[in-house]
Amino acid sequence: MSENPDKPTINEAGKSKSNDSEQGLEDVEGSGEALQKNIKSGSPSTQRMQRPHSSPPRFVTVEELLETAKGVANMALAHEIVVNGDFRIKPVELPEDSLEKRVKDIVHKAFWDCLSVQLSEDPPTYDHAIKLVGEIKETLLSFLLPGHSRLRNQIMEVLDLDLIKQEAENGALDISKLAEFIIGMMGTVCAPARDEEVKKLKDIKEIVPLFRAIFSVLDLMKVDMANFAVTSIRPHLMQQSVDYERKKFQQLLEKQPNSLDFVTQWLEEATEDLLNQKYKNALPAGEGAASSEADPMPNPVAVQNYAYLKLLKWDHLQRPFPETVLMDQARFQELQLQLEQLTILGAVLLVTFSMAAPGISSQADFAEKLKTIVKILLTDTHLPSFHLKDALTTIGEKVCLEVSGCFALCGLTPFTVEKETALKGQIQAVASPDDPIRRIIDSRILVFLERYLASGHQKPLPTVPGGLSPVQKELEEVAVKFVRLVNYNKMVFSPYYDAILRLIMLPLEQHCPTEI
């Protein structure tokens, strides 16, 4: 049932296997038996499908709980690296008034004070300083790639700890010269973004503050190196991450057998909506999603695609999010907010261009300027203090002002007071979810997303429905993010979805005499 013909077979709750195809079929059947306990299907008529009961509670030890939490954290990290192209490791910044920061500051101050005392002795004692040089040496070596043999040889030669100890014992150690070499090597291996920090080190003349600043910059360089490594390996992580996430989720499922209850409800509702054709008045399913009269059963792939569309209309405050998409809940919420803004923006522009003089919408500069103004006024949609009605009142005033200015430049007849009042009224009416223009834009956006998802990135991509041309760029950007999330989620969890949908469809097929 998955879109991936090479998907792995699954046992009981969907564990990936590498056995032969016959064993795989037995495993899928086994998964059906395991999930049968959680699914109770009613009649395939308009009767509401029965929701699965949660599995009985299972007591777990503290060790099992900690192990599970660690597994979930690791799975979330791997997922974040692969899915989030902007993922970056950031330096740890402790809160100013935290106990941990106070303890850290006290320990660091004691260490640097000790180093200062040693270097102030006559003759100076270099025990701590030499240890610091050793740490710096290992850090610099860790930044080098296999081909950097010349730099490696330089570091090994100049920062030879045995030689440095001998020079210290004989009173011939020039610590400033070592610091100068270290700073020069840091400038050679650092990222361009750190050039300024490294340059500032040359202005520090006192040894202790200099070493302290060197370690501070080295910590930043470690973060840079870690982010470089993440960027380099991300293209190679995809399949490994898919297998890893599925394995970790299976381990979680074995400890918490009810971890697919909300997923089951989610897929059941999608199946029921498609079966009853209710989606036509809410979320469109587009071409190929609905079944023909000769084939009353929903296509399993269409059910999954429609289920993902439902996530863009989710009530996050009232309904638990399906377990298999939980790590992406924040991303789906962000997409949902972006689509709401696009719907308002598209409705306002459609109303404006419909009431304005013919041809005004074809003026690219004016259309882009108007779109930018409306987008700016809708920027704070995510804030609790944002009031859409007030924003649309302001937008109506601004739009009328811009349209009048455009009319004057084009030599057209100015807007009458009646037309201005009508335009402002229609723009303010967009605040209601039941506004016809808003509903049309919302429906067409979802049609486009469904078609984009169903196209599988095949050329040519679906055309943007009528009325959405002014927001085509923004809509396609959202579509790309949405499809990327969906496709990756399918790669990881399609075995579970297939097993659940098999059990949902089976009793429905038995009640349907039509040959499928």
Side-chain angles (χ1 to χ4, degrees):
M1 293 185 180
S2 170
E3 289 187 18
N4 181 6
D6 299 321
K7 70 174 183 63
T9 55
I10 53 175
N11 67 358
E12 298 185 346
K15 184 183 296 183
S16 177
K17 292 290 185 179
S18 59
N19 297 342
D20 56 33
S21 58
E22 182 178 354
Q23 179 62 43
L25 181 59
E26 295 174 0
D27 290 339
V28 173
E29 295 300 332
S31 69
E33 295 175 4
L35 288 167
Q36 185 68 51
K37 300 176 182 178
N38 292 332
I39 300 177
K40 290 185 177 180
S41 300
S43 170
S45 64
T46 56
Q47 178 182 347
R48 187 74 178 173
M49 292 183 179
Q50 295 294 321
R51 296 288 172 248
H53 296 290
S54 295
S55 302
R58 173 179 176 268
F59 294 102
V60 295
T61 65
V62 175
E63 290 76 10
E64 288 179 315
L65 189 60
L66 292 175
E67 182 183 353
T68 301
K70 181 180 179 181
V72 171
N74 291 338
M75 181 172 64
L77 178 60
H79 180 84
E80 188 71 18
I81 291 174
V82 173
V83 174
N84 184 6
D86 297 324
F87 175 83
R88 294 291 182 274
I89 299 172
K90 298 180 181 179
V92 178
E93 296 181 1
L94 301 175
E96 287 295 330
D97 57 347
S98 66
L99 175 62
E100 186 177 358
K101 188 175 191 307
R102 292 201 297 269
V103 171
K104 178 181 177 181
D105 290 344
I106 292 172
V107 172
H108 282 200
K109 184 177 184 302
F111 176 84
W112 294 112
D113 287 347
C114 181
L115 176 63
S116 180
V117 169
Q118 285 192 350
L119 296 179
S120 300
E121 294 177 356
D122 189 17
T125 303
Y126 292 105
D127 293 346
H128 275 42
I130 293 175
K131 290 180 180 179
L132 292 180
V133 171
E135 292 183 22
I136 293 172
K137 174 184 177 181
E138 295 303 320
T139 302
L140 290 175
L141 290 174
S142 70
F143 294 152
L144 302 182
L145 298 176
H148 293 160
S149 55
R150 184 179 62 84
L151 295 178
R152 181 173 286 101
N153 291 336
Q154 287 182 1
I155 295 173
M156 296 296 292
E157 180 180 346
V158 177
L159 301 184
D160 185 337
L161 297 186
D162 292 334
L163 179 59
I164 292 174
K165 289 177 183 178
Q166 291 179 12
E167 291 177 346
E169 292 171 357
N170 297 323
L173 179 61
D174 187 348
I175 197 74
S176 299
K177 185 176 180 181
L178 287 179
E180 182 180 348
F181 171 80
I182 290 170
I183 295 172
M185 189 57 64
M186 290 171 63
T188 301
V189 300
C190 74
R194 302 299 172 198
D195 286 343
E196 193 62 31
E197 283 97 332
V198 174
K199 184 178 179 181
K200 290 178 181 178
L201 296 176
K202 299 178 180 179
D203 298 329
I204 304 175
K205 303 304 180 183
E206 297 184 16
I207 296 301
V208 174
L210 176 57
F211 268 88
R212 194 165 189 171
I214 285 174
F215 272 92
S216 178
V217 176
L218 284 175
D219 286 341
L220 296 176
M221 291 173 62
K222 290 177 183 177
V223 174
D224 295 338
M225 180 57 69
N227 285 323
F228 171 75
V230 168
T231 303
S232 301
I233 67 175
R234 180 179 285 115
H236 310 288
L237 276 181
M238 181 67 73
Q239 188 55 50
Q240 289 87 337
S241 180
V242 168
D243 296 337
Y244 179 77
E245 285 192 44
R246 189 183 298 147
K247 176 183 176 182
K248 288 298 180 182
F249 186 81
Q250 179 61 34
Q251 292 173 354
L252 174 65
L253 191 61
E254 291 169 356
K255 290 182 172 62
Q256 300 292 334
N258 61 345
S259 296
L260 283 172
D261 283 1
F262 296 129
V263 172
T264 303
Q265 293 179 14
W266 171 49
L267 293 177
E268 274 192 328
E269 290 174 6
T271 304
E272 181 185 11
D273 287 349
L274 289 179
L275 192 64
N276 295 333
Q277 303 291 305
K278 291 180 180 179
Y279 65 100
K280 286 185 176 180
N281 298 322
L283 296 174
E287 297 177 358
S291 303
S292 63
E293 294 182 0
D295 182 12
M297 292 302 302
N299 184 296
V301 174
V303 172
Q304 290 188 40
N305 290 348
Y306 175 71
Y308 286 114
L309 284 175
K310 286 175 70 71
L311 298 179
L312 299 176
K313 293 291 185 179
W314 203 263
D315 186 349
H316 295 272
L317 296 178
Q318 300 297 326
R319 297 193 61 189
F321 216 55
E323 296 90 344
T324 52
V325 287
L326 196 57
M327 287 191 295
D328 288 319
Q329 183 172 13
R331 293 185 180 88
F332 276 103
Q333 284 180 293
E334 182 181 354
L335 290 176
Q336 186 171 346
L337 178 61
Q338 291 176 2
L339 289 175
E340 289 174 0
Q341 291 176 332
L342 272 182
T343 300
I344 302 298
L345 175 62
V348 170
L349 295 178
L350 181 60
V351 167
T352 302
F353 294 146
S354 298
M355 292 195 64
I360 193 173
S361 61
S362 62
Q363 299 185 23
D365 292 342
F366 172 74
E368 192 64 29
K369 180 182 179 182
L370 195 63
K371 182 173 71 172
T372 301
I373 291 172
V374 178
K375 284 173 66 175
I376 291 173
L377 294 174
L378 292 174
T379 301
D380 297 332
T381 308
H382 62 287
L383 298 178
S385 58
F386 180 83
H387 296 287
L388 182 58
K389 288 185 178 180
D390 296 340
L392 287 173
T393 299
T394 304
I395 288 172
E397 297 286 347
K398 190 65 176 174
V399 165
C400 288
L401 184 63
E402 293 295 330
V403 170
S404 297
C406 184
F407 279 4
L409 289 175
C410 296
L412 300 174
T413 304
F415 244 9
T416 63
V417 176
E418 292 77 11
K419 278 194 172 183
E420 274 198 18
T421 303
L423 177 56
K424 291 177 183 178
Q426 287 201 29
I427 290 176
Q428 291 173 5
V430 173
S432 171
D434 295 326
D435 176 67
I437 303 298
R438 179 171 171 177
R439 288 179 60 122
I440 289 173
I441 295 296
D442 183 58
S443 176
R444 290 178 181 179
I445 285 176
L446 290 167
V447 165
F448 175 76
L449 290 176
E450 193 282 331
R451 290 175 179 171
Y452 198 96
L453 183 59
S455 70
H457 294 296
Q458 295 179 357
K459 302 292 184 179
L461 295 175
T463 57
V464 174
L468 298 181
S469 296
V471 294
Q472 178 175 349
K473 178 183 176 182
E474 292 81 1
L475 181 57
E476 289 179 344
E477 289 175 354
V478 173
V480 169
K481 295 177 183 178
F482 175 63
V483 171
R484 183 185 297 128
L485 277 181
V486 169
N487 287 343
Y488 183 77
N489 185 266
K490 284 183 178 182
M491 289 173 65
V492 177
F493 296 106
S494 59
Y496 299 94
Y497 299 152
D498 289 345
I500 293 172
L501 287 173
R502 180 186 294 272
L503 295 179
I504 293 175
M505 298 291 189
L506 185 60
L508 299 179
E509 292 173 357
Q510 292 174 348
H511 284 81
C512 180
T514 305
E515 182 178 353
I516 299 175

